[in-house]
């Protein structure tokens, strides 16, 4: 089953770097707030243990 509209807790990934927000392409986050035509996603900025 697929859907085109993001929902709260959906998993998302960045398609491009956002250096001013310290986010890189491919980072995975979750939708945390959704309003018509917009949504807010949360991404972690911490590195995993053992990552460079």
């Amino acid at each position: 089953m697929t859907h085109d509209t993001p929902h709260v807790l959906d998993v998302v990934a960045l398609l491009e770097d956002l250096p001013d927000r310290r986010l890189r392409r491919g980072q995975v986050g979750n939708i945390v707030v959704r309003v018509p035509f917009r949504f807010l996603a949360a991404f972690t900025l911490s590195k995993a243990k053992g990552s460079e």
Side-chain angles (χ1 to χ4, degrees):
M1 181 165 126
T2 64
H3 54 79
D4 295 329
T5 306
H7 295 280
V8 173
L9 299 182
D10 278 356
V11 176
V12 296
L14 289 175
L15 298 177
E16 59 186 51
D17 290 341
L18 299 172
D20 58 321
R21 297 183 184 179
R22 296 177 22 196
L23 297 171
R24 298 197 42 120
R25 181 177 186 245
Q27 275 189 266
V28 176
N30 293 90
I31 303 294
V32 293
V33 175
R34 183 177 163 266
V35 294
F37 306 106
R38 293 182 185 216
F39 57 89
L40 174 67
F43 296 88
T44 183
L45 295 178
S46 62
K47 292 184 177 183
K49 187 175 182 178
S51 67
E52 296 180 17

